[in-house]
Amino acid sequence: MEPIKNLSRLSRTLGYGFSNIDLLKQALTHRSASNKHNERLEFLGDAILQVVISDALYHQFPKVTEGDLSRMRSTLVKGETLTEIAKEFNLGDYLFLGPGELKSGGFRRESILADAVEAVIGAMYLDADIDTCRKLLLNWYKKRLQEIKPGVNQKDPKTLLQEHLQGFKKPLPEYQVVNVQGEAHNQTFTVECRVQELDGAVTGIASSRRKAEQLAAAQVLEKIKS
Amino acid sequence: MEPIKNLSRLSRTLGYGFSNIDLLKQALTHRSASNKHNERLEFLGDAILQVVISDALYHQFPKVTEGDLSRMRSTLVKGETLTEIAKEFNLGDYLFLGPGELKSGGFRRESILADAVEAVIGAMYLDADIDTCRKLLLNWYKKRLQEIKPGVNQKDPKTLLQEHLQGFKKPLPEYQVVNVQGEAHNQTFTVECRVQELDGAVTGIASSRRKAEQLAAAQVLEKIKS
């Protein structure tokens, strides 16, 4: 039997009471649990979050370049940040997962949480409108928006590595996917990163090719700077 | 002397009369022409376009998977599509470009046009609101939204190549940036793509690494399928 989830308690934590509670339920439902899962809502929520954060940053930083705005936006909407938000809401306690996923941990679990946050945003948008979403999201992101700053800290490891190498007129790093494991929705990517300065490759493993590249780049940066 | 641009004629073509015509002017101003250029507006417009198209596709295709929705969205918001839209509006006639950019052609020119479309969307959003943008964009995209279909046609060449190789249990293609030329905002990337079935590498050259990879993948696909 499925455990009883207290969705009205979750609504209070989120700061939004759903007219149609089924939308919230769907947003919390992983594809492993039901055909009526949250992936389409996630598609919608991702775009809502992007536009709300873009607008907020645009007005908060009237003098900052597009590059810095983009980097700040990436920081605020990336999976790790969404996972943090999910944990602040104890979203994991409310997820509907199939038996295989109930036990999953590590970045698999983290990415399910991050996806659910986007899906909840999509559900709120459908239940209300974009202005309601905006107010809620600005509240969820209040502290993060207060703390974020333009500048070098926002750059991702691949960008930093590339800039570091270009600064020394070295060739660009080479990334190569050397292994992909698992089925379509639960894959693990192994990426090797090679630079002229290091013998052999440095490996990054993550749930997407992009993340694996970033992990590999971060390690290469540490090695060549140490 | 700068040629006179008939911005009210452009407003009529776009279907929107700006209260603040300076916003439209800024949206048309490339960074080579002035410090008050269009890159921040482009940042904003990109997010607006994404959310409007996401919402439209979500409702137009109630049964379609998130993957197909994402592919259709990519098709509708990608640079090539934006360049087409720019050409429909003769946006090139209204751009403010620096002397170096006036003569540029090829994909450099195309990407300036695509960016300007996003910046115009950002300017409309600031001048009005998201609902006004939505109505206009749905009008701009009317025919494209009528014609778009979920399914295999929306897949990009890299995805198609990967699926083709996986179907034959072959190793994944390898992409490698072999050359980057030009300055920060005007770079040309040369990417090599290698697959087990072909001797030697196939080269793609474009204004971004991602586009160069797609071009290379498309050529590899043609070669191995022919």
Side-chain angles (χ1 to χ4, degrees), chain B residues 41-70:
Chain B
L41 291 172
E42 182 197 332
F43 166 83
L44 202 52
D46 167 66
I48 306 289
L49 178 62
Q50 292 264 356
V51 81
V52 168
I53 296 298
S54 301
D55 179 86
L57 291 171
Y58 183 92
H59 289 98
Q60 185 173 333
F61 297 100
K63 305 264 179 196
V64 153
T65 64
E66 180 274 340
D68 269 346
L69 290 174
S70 292

Side-chain angles (χ1 to χ4, degrees), chain A residues 40 55 58 61 64 125 174, chain B residues 40 55 61 64 125 176:
Chain A
R40 284 171 47 91
D55 179 86
Y58 183 91
F61 297 101
V64 152
Y125 172 70
E174 289 170 12
Chain B
R40 284 171 48 91
D55 179 86
F61 297 100
V64 153
Y125 172 70
Q176 195 173 322

Side-chain angles (χ1 to χ4, degrees), chain A residues 123-164:
Chain A
M124 293 192 315
Y125 172 70
L126 291 179
D127 198 61
D129 53 44
I130 197 160
D131 286 322
T132 306
C133 283
R134 187 192 306 275
K135 283 184 200 121
L136 280 159
L137 289 173
L138 293 180
N139 200 27
W140 294 6
Y141 272 90
K142 196 171 178 185
K143 194 154 167 282
R144 289 181 176 84
L145 281 167
Q146 280 167 351
E147 287 171 356
I148 202 154
K149 286 190 186 67
V152 71
N153 293 334
Q154 306 305 327
K155 289 191 182 174
D156 63 76
K158 277 183 73 179
T159 306
L160 289 171
L161 177 59
Q162 178 171 333
E163 291 180 356
H164 177 82

Side-chain angles (χ1 to χ4, degrees), chain A residues 39-41 43-44 46-48 50-51 54-55 57-59 61-66 69-70 73 125-126 130 134 158 166 172 174-177 180 209 213, chain B residues 39-41 43-44 46-48 50-51 54-55 57-59 61-66 69-70 73 125-126 130 134 158 172 174-177 180 187 209 213:
Chain A
E39 289 186 358
R40 284 171 47 91
L41 292 172
F43 166 82
L44 203 50
D46 167 67
I48 306 290
Q50 292 265 356
V51 81
S54 301
D55 179 86
L57 291 171
Y58 183 91
H59 289 98
F61 297 101
K63 305 265 178 194
V64 152
T65 64
E66 181 275 339
L69 290 174
S70 293
R73 180 173 64 191
Y125 172 70
L126 291 179
I130 197 160
R134 187 192 306 275
K158 277 183 73 179
Q166 284 174 332
L172 287 175
E174 289 170 12
Y175 298 92
Q176 195 173 322
V177 178
V180 184
R209 177 186 168 155
E213 289 180 350
Chain B
E39 289 186 359
R40 284 171 48 91
L41 291 172
F43 166 83
L44 202 52
D46 167 66
I48 306 289
Q50 292 264 356
V51 81
S54 301
D55 179 86
L57 291 171
Y58 183 92
H59 289 98
F61 297 100
K63 305 264 179 196
V64 153
T65 64
E66 180 274 340
L69 290 174
S70 292
R73 180 173 63 190
Y125 172 70
L126 291 178
I130 197 159
R134 186 192 307 276
K158 278 182 73 177
L172 289 175
E174 290 170 13
Y175 298 91
Q176 195 173 322
V177 177
V180 184
Q187 288 187 312
R209 177 186 168 154
E213 288 180 352

